[in-house]
Amino acid sequence: NAGVTQTPKFRVLKTGQSMTLLCAQDMNHEYMYWYRQDPGMGLRLIHYSVGEGTTAKGEVPDGYNVSRLKKQNFLLGLESAAPSQTSVYFCASCDVRNEQFFGPGTRLTVL
Amino acid sequence: AQKVTQAQTEISVVEKEDVTLDCVYETRDTTYYLFWYKQPPSGELVFLIRRNSFDEQNEISGRYSWNFQKSTSSFNFTITASQVVDSAVYFCALSEGAGGFKTIFGAGTRLFVKA
């Protein structure tokens, strides 16, 4: 039982490049979330999903897209990376009891 | 709109002191959940407690205790006899009761415990 895993752990991009962050959970959770963490600002919700095939916007969705084609996976895409997207990205999943389990994070730098 | 305020940006204490981290929240929902998470220097997020809006009982877990007061919209966290290993950033969070448990985090309080 791996819990929540994130791929990759680190990435450096140039402005304008695209990439996809993968989140996987093996707990059969319905709900999944993508957050970004910036110094002094806590975690901010980017997008979330309440089930396979559904997604919704969070606090800071601009510049990101997501997909939940399979229940266990939640993908976060950056179509054209910008330096403002330099951050640590956390994925989380939770069940109906609303206890969120977090992945280890992905540190992204956009030059 | 939901909001979580952690007014203390940084706190520094000496080992064995007690310390209280403040959390004030805003929500229009009658059903909601409150959380505390710990983020040690290694970076992972560690779940500490979940409390729903219908349960105002205070909770104690070892050296940790939580005081939930709906009247003042506060959910404060106290560490008794602090230890160096308690040094971390602590986040308070609020989740609405329906619609996917969308969660809003406070900005965090960085706690330094000196030996």
PDB file of all heavy atoms in Angstrom, chain B residues 12-47:
ATOM      1  N   SER B  12       8.917  31.391  18.454  1.00  0.00           N
ATOM      2  CA  SER B  12      10.138  30.763  18.940  1.00  0.00           C
ATOM      3  C   SER B  12      10.004  30.524  20.439  1.00  0.00           C
ATOM      4  O   SER B  12       9.640  31.444  21.182  1.00  0.00           O
ATOM      5  CB  SER B  12      11.346  31.661  18.647  1.00  0.00           C
ATOM      6  OG  SER B  12      12.532  31.042  19.055  1.00  0.00           O
ATOM      7  N   VAL B  13      10.235  29.295  20.868  1.00  0.00           N
ATOM      8  CA  VAL B  13      10.151  28.957  22.288  1.00  0.00           C
ATOM      9  C   VAL B  13      11.384  28.147  22.667  1.00  0.00           C
ATOM     10  O   VAL B  13      12.116  27.644  21.812  1.00  0.00           O
ATOM     11  CB  VAL B  13       8.872  28.157  22.628  1.00  0.00           C
ATOM     12  CG1 VAL B  13       7.636  28.955  22.294  1.00  0.00           C
ATOM     13  CG2 VAL B  13       8.866  26.813  21.920  1.00  0.00           C
ATOM     14  N   VAL B  14      11.562  28.024  23.970  1.00  0.00           N
ATOM     15  CA  VAL B  14      12.630  27.184  24.498  1.00  0.00           C
ATOM     16  C   VAL B  14      12.021  25.847  24.874  1.00  0.00           C
ATOM     17  O   VAL B  14      10.876  25.773  25.340  1.00  0.00           O
ATOM     18  CB  VAL B  14      13.309  27.836  25.711  1.00  0.00           C
ATOM     19  CG1 VAL B  14      14.361  26.910  26.301  1.00  0.00           C
ATOM     20  CG2 VAL B  14      13.928  29.175  25.313  1.00  0.00           C
ATOM     21  N   GLU B  15      12.782  24.792  24.681  1.00  0.00           N
ATOM     22  CA  GLU B  15      12.292  23.449  24.977  1.00  0.00           C
ATOM     23  C   GLU B  15      11.633  23.414  26.355  1.00  0.00           C
ATOM     24  O   GLU B  15      12.088  24.053  27.304  1.00  0.00           O
ATOM     25  CB  GLU B  15      13.474  22.466  24.933  1.00  0.00           C
ATOM     26  CG  GLU B  15      13.093  21.084  24.497  1.00  0.00           C
ATOM     27  CD  GLU B  15      14.303  20.195  24.260  1.00  0.00           C
ATOM     28  OE1 GLU B  15      15.418  20.544  24.718  1.00  0.00           O
ATOM     29  OE2 GLU B  15      14.125  19.163  23.607  1.00  0.00           O
ATOM     30  N   LYS B  16      10.553  22.659  26.446  1.00  0.00           N
ATOM     31  CA  LYS B  16       9.751  22.423  27.638  1.00  0.00           C
ATOM     32  C   LYS B  16       8.723  23.523  27.887  1.00  0.00           C
ATOM     33  O   LYS B  16       7.874  23.366  28.771  1.00  0.00           O
ATOM     34  CB  LYS B  16      10.604  22.211  28.887  1.00  0.00           C
ATOM     35  CG  LYS B  16      11.484  20.966  28.794  1.00  0.00           C
ATOM     36  CD  LYS B  16      12.250  20.716  30.084  1.00  0.00           C
ATOM     37  CE  LYS B  16      13.188  19.528  29.899  1.00  0.00           C
ATOM     38  NZ  LYS B  16      14.009  19.271  31.103  1.00  0.00           N
ATOM     39  N   GLU B  17       8.783  24.600  27.117  1.00  0.00           N
ATOM     40  CA  GLU B  17       7.726  25.598  27.230  1.00  0.00           C
ATOM     41  C   GLU B  17       6.460  25.096  26.557  1.00  0.00           C
ATOM     42  O   GLU B  17       6.514  24.299  25.618  1.00  0.00           O
ATOM     43  CB  GLU B  17       8.157  26.905  26.544  1.00  0.00           C
ATOM     44  CG  GLU B  17       9.102  27.766  27.322  1.00  0.00           C
ATOM     45  CD  GLU B  17       9.328  29.109  26.628  1.00  0.00           C
ATOM     46  OE1 GLU B  17       8.410  29.581  25.913  1.00  0.00           O
ATOM     47  OE2 GLU B  17      10.405  29.668  26.778  1.00  0.00           O
ATOM     48  N   ASP B  18       5.315  25.586  27.014  1.00  0.00           N
ATOM     49  CA  ASP B  18       4.059  25.330  26.333  1.00  0.00           C
ATOM     50  C   ASP B  18       3.866  26.411  25.257  1.00  0.00           C
ATOM     51  O   ASP B  18       4.277  27.552  25.434  1.00  0.00           O
ATOM     52  CB  ASP B  18       2.886  25.383  27.307  1.00  0.00           C
ATOM     53  CG  ASP B  18       2.982  24.331  28.403  1.00  0.00           C
ATOM     54  OD1 ASP B  18       3.828  23.407  28.286  1.00  0.00           O
ATOM     55  OD2 ASP B  18       2.211  24.433  29.374  1.00  0.00           O
ATOM     56  N   VAL B  19       3.219  26.027  24.163  1.00  0.00           N
ATOM     57  CA  VAL B  19       2.995  27.007  23.085  1.00  0.00           C
ATOM     58  C   VAL B  19       1.630  26.762  22.460  1.00  0.00           C
ATOM     59  O   VAL B  19       1.217  25.610  22.293  1.00  0.00           O
ATOM     60  CB  VAL B  19       4.113  26.924  22.021  1.00  0.00           C
ATOM     61  CG1 VAL B  19       4.229  25.543  21.418  1.00  0.00           C
ATOM     62  CG2 VAL B  19       3.934  27.994  20.953  1.00  0.00           C
ATOM     63  N   THR B  20       0.931  27.849  22.167  1.00  0.00           N
ATOM     64  CA  THR B  20      -0.383  27.754  21.531  1.00  0.00           C
ATOM     65  C   THR B  20      -0.351  28.412  20.166  1.00  0.00           C
ATOM     66  O   THR B  20       0.086  29.565  20.040  1.00  0.00           O
ATOM     67  CB  THR B  20      -1.470  28.395  22.405  1.00  0.00           C
ATOM     68  OG1 THR B  20      -1.597  27.664  23.624  1.00  0.00           O
ATOM     69  CG2 THR B  20      -2.823  28.376  21.686  1.00  0.00           C
ATOM     70  N   LEU B  21      -0.812  27.682  19.180  1.00  0.00           N
ATOM     71  CA  LEU B  21      -0.908  28.195  17.813  1.00  0.00           C
ATOM     72  C   LEU B  21      -2.363  28.543  17.546  1.00  0.00           C
ATOM     73  O   LEU B  21      -3.258  27.704  17.730  1.00  0.00           O
ATOM     74  CB  LEU B  21      -0.417  27.135  16.812  1.00  0.00           C
ATOM     75  CG  LEU B  21       0.942  26.503  17.106  1.00  0.00           C
ATOM     76  CD1 LEU B  21       1.310  25.516  16.014  1.00  0.00           C
ATOM     77  CD2 LEU B  21       2.009  27.558  17.257  1.00  0.00           C
ATOM     78  N   ASP B  22      -2.592  29.757  17.086  1.00  0.00           N
ATOM     79  CA  ASP B  22      -3.952  30.232  16.905  1.00  0.00           C
ATOM     80  C   ASP B  22      -4.464  29.980  15.491  1.00  0.00           C
ATOM     81  O   ASP B  22      -3.705  30.049  14.516  1.00  0.00           O
ATOM     82  CB  ASP B  22      -4.035  31.742  17.183  1.00  0.00           C
ATOM     83  CG  ASP B  22      -3.675  32.078  18.621  1.00  0.00           C
ATOM     84  OD1 ASP B  22      -3.876  31.216  19.504  1.00  0.00           O
ATOM     85  OD2 ASP B  22      -3.195  33.205  18.864  1.00  0.00           O
ATOM     86  N   CYS B  23      -5.763  29.727  15.391  1.00  0.00           N
ATOM     87  CA  CYS B  23      -6.418  29.543  14.097  1.00  0.00           C
ATOM     88  C   CYS B  23      -7.829  30.112  14.191  1.00  0.00           C
ATOM     89  O   CYS B  23      -8.603  29.705  15.062  1.00  0.00           O
ATOM     90  CB  CYS B  23      -6.466  28.068  13.716  1.00  0.00           C
ATOM     91  SG  CYS B  23      -7.415  27.731  12.204  1.00  0.00           S
ATOM     92  N   VAL B  24      -8.144  31.035  13.310  1.00  0.00           N
ATOM     93  CA  VAL B  24      -9.490  31.603  13.228  1.00  0.00           C
ATOM     94  C   VAL B  24     -10.028  31.339  11.838  1.00  0.00           C
ATOM     95  O   VAL B  24      -9.314  31.505  10.849  1.00  0.00           O
ATOM     96  CB  VAL B  24      -9.463  33.124  13.513  1.00  0.00           C
ATOM     97  CG1 VAL B  24     -10.840  33.733  13.295  1.00  0.00           C
ATOM     98  CG2 VAL B  24      -8.984  33.392  14.933  1.00  0.00           C
ATOM     99  N   TYR B  25     -11.260  30.913  11.749  1.00  0.00           N
ATOM    100  CA  TYR B  25     -11.807  30.548  10.452  1.00  0.00           C
ATOM    101  C   TYR B  25     -13.114  31.297  10.176  1.00  0.00           C
ATOM    102  O   TYR B  25     -13.762  31.805  11.093  1.00  0.00           O
ATOM    103  CB  TYR B  25     -12.037  29.029  10.379  1.00  0.00           C
ATOM    104  CG  TYR B  25     -13.065  28.533  11.371  1.00  0.00           C
ATOM    105  CD1 TYR B  25     -14.405  28.424  11.014  1.00  0.00           C
ATOM    106  CD2 TYR B  25     -12.690  28.178  12.658  1.00  0.00           C
ATOM    107  CE1 TYR B  25     -15.350  27.984  11.924  1.00  0.00           C
ATOM    108  CE2 TYR B  25     -13.629  27.745  13.585  1.00  0.00           C
ATOM    109  CZ  TYR B  25     -14.947  27.648  13.212  1.00  0.00           C
ATOM    110  OH  TYR B  25     -15.883  27.214  14.116  1.00  0.00           O
ATOM    111  N   GLU B  26     -13.459  31.348   8.901  1.00  0.00           N
ATOM    112  CA  GLU B  26     -14.727  31.929   8.457  1.00  0.00           C
ATOM    113  C   GLU B  26     -15.383  30.978   7.486  1.00  0.00           C
ATOM    114  O   GLU B  26     -14.733  30.483   6.553  1.00  0.00           O
ATOM    115  CB  GLU B  26     -14.496  33.279   7.746  1.00  0.00           C
ATOM    116  CG  GLU B  26     -13.946  34.383   8.602  1.00  0.00           C
ATOM    117  CD  GLU B  26     -13.684  35.633   7.781  1.00  0.00           C
ATOM    118  OE1 GLU B  26     -14.384  35.840   6.761  1.00  0.00           O
ATOM    119  OE2 GLU B  26     -12.768  36.398   8.135  1.00  0.00           O
ATOM    120  N   THR B  27     -16.675  30.733   7.679  1.00  0.00           N
ATOM    121  CA  THR B  27     -17.436  29.923   6.741  1.00  0.00           C
ATOM    122  C   THR B  27     -18.909  30.203   6.918  1.00  0.00           C
ATOM    123  O   THR B  27     -19.348  30.548   8.015  1.00  0.00           O
ATOM    124  CB  THR B  27     -17.157  28.420   6.939  1.00  0.00           C
ATOM    125  OG1 THR B  27     -17.929  27.672   5.995  1.00  0.00           O
ATOM    126  CG2 THR B  27     -17.516  27.953   8.346  1.00  0.00           C
ATOM    127  N   ARG B  28     -19.668  30.037   5.845  1.00  0.00           N
ATOM    128  CA  ARG B  28     -21.126  30.176   5.922  1.00  0.00           C
ATOM    129  C   ARG B  28     -21.794  28.809   6.064  1.00  0.00           C
ATOM    130  O   ARG B  28     -22.991  28.727   6.310  1.00  0.00           O
ATOM    131  CB  ARG B  28     -21.659  30.887   4.679  1.00  0.00           C
ATOM    132  CG  ARG B  28     -21.226  32.333   4.583  1.00  0.00           C
ATOM    133  CD  ARG B  28     -21.763  32.989   3.332  1.00  0.00           C
ATOM    134  NE  ARG B  28     -21.305  34.380   3.215  1.00  0.00           N
ATOM    135  CZ  ARG B  28     -21.523  35.152   2.163  1.00  0.00           C
ATOM    136  NH1 ARG B  28     -22.166  34.677   1.124  1.00  0.00           N
ATOM    137  NH2 ARG B  28     -21.078  36.390   2.142  1.00  0.00           N
ATOM    138  N   ASP B  29     -21.005  27.752   5.871  1.00  0.00           N
ATOM    139  CA  ASP B  29     -21.566  26.409   5.977  1.00  0.00           C
ATOM    140  C   ASP B  29     -21.851  26.068   7.437  1.00  0.00           C
ATOM    141  O   ASP B  29     -21.126  26.505   8.338  1.00  0.00           O
ATOM    142  CB  ASP B  29     -20.586  25.377   5.415  1.00  0.00           C
ATOM    143  CG  ASP B  29     -20.471  25.457   3.909  1.00  0.00           C
ATOM    144  OD1 ASP B  29     -21.268  26.180   3.290  1.00  0.00           O
ATOM    145  OD2 ASP B  29     -19.586  24.779   3.352  1.00  0.00           O
ATOM    146  N   THR B  30     -22.880  25.283   7.651  1.00  0.00           N
ATOM    147  CA  THR B  30     -23.150  24.803   9.007  1.00  0.00           C
ATOM    148  C   THR B  30     -22.437  23.481   9.254  1.00  0.00           C
ATOM    149  O   THR B  30     -22.212  23.103  10.398  1.00  0.00           O
ATOM    150  CB  THR B  30     -24.658  24.617   9.232  1.00  0.00           C
ATOM    151  OG1 THR B  30     -25.173  23.750   8.217  1.00  0.00           O
ATOM    152  CG2 THR B  30     -25.375  25.961   9.183  1.00  0.00           C
ATOM    153  N   THR B  31     -22.108  22.798   8.181  1.00  0.00           N
ATOM    154  CA  THR B  31     -21.344  21.554   8.282  1.00  0.00           C
ATOM    155  C   THR B  31     -19.968  21.783   7.681  1.00  0.00           C
ATOM    156  O   THR B  31     -19.855  22.106   6.498  1.00  0.00           O
ATOM    157  CB  THR B  31     -22.050  20.410   7.536  1.00  0.00           C
ATOM    158  OG1 THR B  31     -23.353  20.232   8.082  1.00  0.00           O
ATOM    159  CG2 THR B  31     -21.252  19.120   7.684  1.00  0.00           C
ATOM    160  N   TYR B  32     -18.947  21.628   8.480  1.00  0.00           N
ATOM    161  CA  TYR B  32     -17.591  21.840   7.999  1.00  0.00           C
ATOM    162  C   TYR B  32     -16.624  21.039   8.860  1.00  0.00           C
ATOM    163  O   TYR B  32     -17.001  20.493   9.899  1.00  0.00           O
ATOM    164  CB  TYR B  32     -17.215  23.330   7.988  1.00  0.00           C
ATOM    165  CG  TYR B  32     -17.421  24.045   9.300  1.00  0.00           C
ATOM    166  CD1 TYR B  32     -16.409  24.098  10.255  1.00  0.00           C
ATOM    167  CD2 TYR B  32     -18.631  24.681   9.588  1.00  0.00           C
ATOM    168  CE1 TYR B  32     -16.599  24.756  11.455  1.00  0.00           C
ATOM    169  CE2 TYR B  32     -18.832  25.331  10.789  1.00  0.00           C
ATOM    170  CZ  TYR B  32     -17.813  25.372  11.712  1.00  0.00           C
ATOM    171  OH  TYR B  32     -18.009  26.023  12.904  1.00  0.00           O
ATOM    172  N   TYR B  33     -15.386  20.967   8.367  1.00  0.00           N
ATOM    173  CA  TYR B  33     -14.343  20.225   9.066  1.00  0.00           C
ATOM    174  C   TYR B  33     -13.134  21.126   9.268  1.00  0.00           C
ATOM    175  O   TYR B  33     -12.817  21.943   8.407  1.00  0.00           O
ATOM    176  CB  TYR B  33     -13.909  18.997   8.253  1.00  0.00           C
ATOM    177  CG  TYR B  33     -15.008  18.006   8.007  1.00  0.00           C
ATOM    178  CD1 TYR B  33     -15.917  18.185   6.964  1.00  0.00           C
ATOM    179  CD2 TYR B  33     -15.142  16.878   8.812  1.00  0.00           C
ATOM    180  CE1 TYR B  33     -16.928  17.275   6.737  1.00  0.00           C
ATOM    181  CE2 TYR B  33     -16.154  15.962   8.589  1.00  0.00           C
ATOM    182  CZ  TYR B  33     -17.047  16.164   7.550  1.00  0.00           C
ATOM    183  OH  TYR B  33     -18.043  15.260   7.321  1.00  0.00           O
ATOM    184  N   LEU B  34     -12.488  20.952  10.376  1.00  0.00           N
ATOM    185  CA  LEU B  34     -11.263  21.691  10.675  1.00  0.00           C
ATOM    186  C   LEU B  34     -10.121  20.695  10.864  1.00  0.00           C
ATOM    187  O   LEU B  34     -10.320  19.606  11.403  1.00  0.00           O
ATOM    188  CB  LEU B  34     -11.443  22.533  11.934  1.00  0.00           C
ATOM    189  CG  LEU B  34     -12.476  23.651  11.811  1.00  0.00           C
ATOM    190  CD1 LEU B  34     -12.883  24.158  13.176  1.00  0.00           C
ATOM    191  CD2 LEU B  34     -11.924  24.792  10.959  1.00  0.00           C
ATOM    192  N   PHE B  35      -8.944  21.104  10.420  1.00  0.00           N
ATOM    193  CA  PHE B  35      -7.782  20.227  10.458  1.00  0.00           C
ATOM    194  C   PHE B  35      -6.557  20.982  10.966  1.00  0.00           C
ATOM    195  O   PHE B  35      -6.460  22.197  10.824  1.00  0.00           O
ATOM    196  CB  PHE B  35      -7.430  19.725   9.044  1.00  0.00           C
ATOM    197  CG  PHE B  35      -8.520  19.008   8.323  1.00  0.00           C
ATOM    198  CD1 PHE B  35      -9.511  19.718   7.673  1.00  0.00           C
ATOM    199  CD2 PHE B  35      -8.550  17.630   8.283  1.00  0.00           C
ATOM    200  CE1 PHE B  35     -10.521  19.061   6.982  1.00  0.00           C
ATOM    201  CE2 PHE B  35      -9.552  16.966   7.595  1.00  0.00           C
ATOM    202  CZ  PHE B  35     -10.534  17.679   6.958  1.00  0.00           C
ATOM    203  N   TRP B  36      -5.618  20.226  11.497  1.00  0.00           N
ATOM    204  CA  TRP B  36      -4.263  20.710  11.693  1.00  0.00           C
ATOM    205  C   TRP B  36      -3.313  19.716  11.023  1.00  0.00           C
ATOM    206  O   TRP B  36      -3.485  18.494  11.164  1.00  0.00           O
ATOM    207  CB  TRP B  36      -3.913  20.832  13.174  1.00  0.00           C
ATOM    208  CG  TRP B  36      -4.373  22.117  13.791  1.00  0.00           C
ATOM    209  CD1 TRP B  36      -5.526  22.343  14.483  1.00  0.00           C
ATOM    210  CD2 TRP B  36      -3.676  23.366  13.781  1.00  0.00           C
ATOM    211  NE1 TRP B  36      -5.599  23.644  14.898  1.00  0.00           N
ATOM    212  CE2 TRP B  36      -4.473  24.298  14.481  1.00  0.00           C
ATOM    213  CE3 TRP B  36      -2.451  23.792  13.254  1.00  0.00           C
ATOM    214  CZ2 TRP B  36      -4.090  25.625  14.669  1.00  0.00           C
ATOM    215  CZ3 TRP B  36      -2.067  25.102  13.435  1.00  0.00           C
ATOM    216  CH2 TRP B  36      -2.878  26.010  14.139  1.00  0.00           C
ATOM    217  N   TYR B  37      -2.319  20.291  10.316  1.00  0.00           N
ATOM    218  CA  TYR B  37      -1.267  19.497   9.690  1.00  0.00           C
ATOM    219  C   TYR B  37       0.083  20.040  10.158  1.00  0.00           C
ATOM    220  O   TYR B  37       0.243  21.233  10.392  1.00  0.00           O
ATOM    221  CB  TYR B  37      -1.316  19.608   8.166  1.00  0.00           C
ATOM    222  CG  TYR B  37      -2.477  18.907   7.522  1.00  0.00           C
ATOM    223  CD1 TYR B  37      -3.694  19.555   7.348  1.00  0.00           C
ATOM    224  CD2 TYR B  37      -2.355  17.594   7.083  1.00  0.00           C
ATOM    225  CE1 TYR B  37      -4.762  18.907   6.752  1.00  0.00           C
ATOM    226  CE2 TYR B  37      -3.423  16.945   6.483  1.00  0.00           C
ATOM    227  CZ  TYR B  37      -4.620  17.614   6.324  1.00  0.00           C
ATOM    228  OH  TYR B  37      -5.674  16.970   5.732  1.00  0.00           O
ATOM    229  N   LYS B  38       1.049  19.150  10.202  1.00  0.00           N
ATOM    230  CA  LYS B  38       2.427  19.523  10.528  1.00  0.00           C
ATOM    231  C   LYS B  38       3.287  19.307   9.299  1.00  0.00           C
ATOM    232  O   LYS B  38       3.157  18.293   8.613  1.00  0.00           O
ATOM    233  CB  LYS B  38       2.939  18.644  11.675  1.00  0.00           C
ATOM    234  CG  LYS B  38       4.401  18.817  12.029  1.00  0.00           C
ATOM    235  CD  LYS B  38       4.793  17.856  13.151  1.00  0.00           C
ATOM    236  CE  LYS B  38       6.263  18.004  13.521  1.00  0.00           C
ATOM    237  NZ  LYS B  38       6.652  17.066  14.621  1.00  0.00           N
ATOM    238  N   GLN B  39       4.157  20.259   8.995  1.00  0.00           N
ATOM    239  CA  GLN B  39       5.110  20.099   7.902  1.00  0.00           C
ATOM    240  C   GLN B  39       6.522  20.273   8.470  1.00  0.00           C
ATOM    241  O   GLN B  39       7.008  21.374   8.652  1.00  0.00           O
ATOM    242  CB  GLN B  39       4.852  21.100   6.777  1.00  0.00           C
ATOM    243  CG  GLN B  39       5.710  20.830   5.539  1.00  0.00           C
ATOM    244  CD  GLN B  39       5.362  21.742   4.381  1.00  0.00           C
ATOM    245  OE1 GLN B  39       5.161  22.935   4.544  1.00  0.00           O
ATOM    246  NE2 GLN B  39       5.289  21.172   3.182  1.00  0.00           N
ATOM    247  N   PRO B  40       7.201  19.159   8.757  1.00  0.00           N
ATOM    248  CA  PRO B  40       8.572  19.244   9.266  1.00  0.00           C
ATOM    249  C   PRO B  40       9.517  19.711   8.168  1.00  0.00           C
ATOM    250  O   PRO B  40       9.120  19.813   7.005  1.00  0.00           O
ATOM    251  CB  PRO B  40       8.863  17.810   9.703  1.00  0.00           C
ATOM    252  CG  PRO B  40       7.931  16.958   8.912  1.00  0.00           C
ATOM    253  CD  PRO B  40       6.716  17.796   8.632  1.00  0.00           C
ATOM    254  N   PRO B  41      10.771  19.978   8.525  1.00  0.00           N
ATOM    255  CA  PRO B  41      11.744  20.449   7.529  1.00  0.00           C
ATOM    256  C   PRO B  41      11.904  19.524   6.324  1.00  0.00           C
ATOM    257  O   PRO B  41      12.288  19.973   5.250  1.00  0.00           O
ATOM    258  CB  PRO B  41      13.044  20.551   8.335  1.00  0.00           C
ATOM    259  CG  PRO B  41      12.580  20.821   9.728  1.00  0.00           C
ATOM    260  CD  PRO B  41      11.309  20.031   9.880  1.00  0.00           C
ATOM    261  N   SER B  42      11.587  18.259   6.485  1.00  0.00           N
ATOM    262  CA  SER B  42      11.692  17.316   5.360  1.00  0.00           C
ATOM    263  C   SER B  42      10.639  17.575   4.284  1.00  0.00           C
ATOM    264  O   SER B  42      10.758  17.077   3.164  1.00  0.00           O
ATOM    265  CB  SER B  42      11.569  15.880   5.871  1.00  0.00           C
ATOM    266  OG  SER B  42      10.423  15.758   6.690  1.00  0.00           O
ATOM    267  N   GLY B  43       9.580  18.324   4.620  1.00  0.00           N
ATOM    268  CA  GLY B  43       8.646  18.772   3.596  1.00  0.00           C
ATOM    269  C   GLY B  43       7.325  18.038   3.480  1.00  0.00           C
ATOM    270  O   GLY B  43       6.407  18.551   2.837  1.00  0.00           O
ATOM    271  N   GLU B  44       7.210  16.851   4.050  1.00  0.00           N
ATOM    272  CA  GLU B  44       5.929  16.146   3.895  1.00  0.00           C
ATOM    273  C   GLU B  44       4.874  16.755   4.814  1.00  0.00           C
ATOM    274  O   GLU B  44       5.183  17.448   5.767  1.00  0.00           O
ATOM    275  CB  GLU B  44       6.096  14.648   4.200  1.00  0.00           C
ATOM    276  CG  GLU B  44       6.234  14.291   5.666  1.00  0.00           C
ATOM    277  CD  GLU B  44       7.655  14.329   6.164  1.00  0.00           C
ATOM    278  OE1 GLU B  44       8.492  15.014   5.533  1.00  0.00           O
ATOM    279  OE2 GLU B  44       7.938  13.677   7.188  1.00  0.00           O
ATOM    280  N   LEU B  45       3.634  16.495   4.507  1.00  0.00           N
ATOM    281  CA  LEU B  45       2.523  17.006   5.309  1.00  0.00           C
ATOM    282  C   LEU B  45       1.996  15.870   6.174  1.00  0.00           C
ATOM    283  O   LEU B  45       1.602  14.818   5.673  1.00  0.00           O
ATOM    284  CB  LEU B  45       1.426  17.545   4.406  1.00  0.00           C
ATOM    285  CG  LEU B  45       1.760  18.899   3.800  1.00  0.00           C
ATOM    286  CD1 LEU B  45       1.038  19.111   2.497  1.00  0.00           C
ATOM    287  CD2 LEU B  45       1.423  20.013   4.781  1.00  0.00           C
ATOM    288  N   VAL B  46       1.952  16.109   7.474  1.00  0.00           N
ATOM    289  CA  VAL B  46       1.544  15.089   8.423  1.00  0.00           C
ATOM    290  C   VAL B  46       0.213  15.498   9.035  1.00  0.00           C
ATOM    291  O   VAL B  46       0.101  16.570   9.634  1.00  0.00           O
ATOM    292  CB  VAL B  46       2.599  14.917   9.533  1.00  0.00           C
ATOM    293  CG1 VAL B  46       2.145  13.871  10.545  1.00  0.00           C
ATOM    294  CG2 VAL B  46       3.950  14.548   8.924  1.00  0.00           C
ATOM    295  N   PHE B  47      -0.773  14.659   8.893  1.00  0.00           N
ATOM    296  CA  PHE B  47      -2.104  14.907   9.444  1.00  0.00           C
ATOM    297  C   PHE B  47      -2.037  14.789  10.966  1.00  0.00           C
ATOM    298  O   PHE B  47      -1.494  13.833  11.514  1.00  0.00           O
ATOM    299  CB  PHE B  47      -3.071  13.874   8.866  1.00  0.00           C
ATOM    300  CG  PHE B  47      -4.402  13.806   9.541  1.00  0.00           C
ATOM    301  CD1 PHE B  47      -5.401  14.697   9.209  1.00  0.00           C
ATOM    302  CD2 PHE B  47      -4.670  12.834  10.486  1.00  0.00           C
ATOM    303  CE1 PHE B  47      -6.645  14.624   9.812  1.00  0.00           C
ATOM    304  CE2 PHE B  47      -5.896  12.750  11.098  1.00  0.00           C
ATOM    305  CZ  PHE B  47      -6.896  13.643  10.769  1.00  0.00           C
TER     306      PHE B  47
END
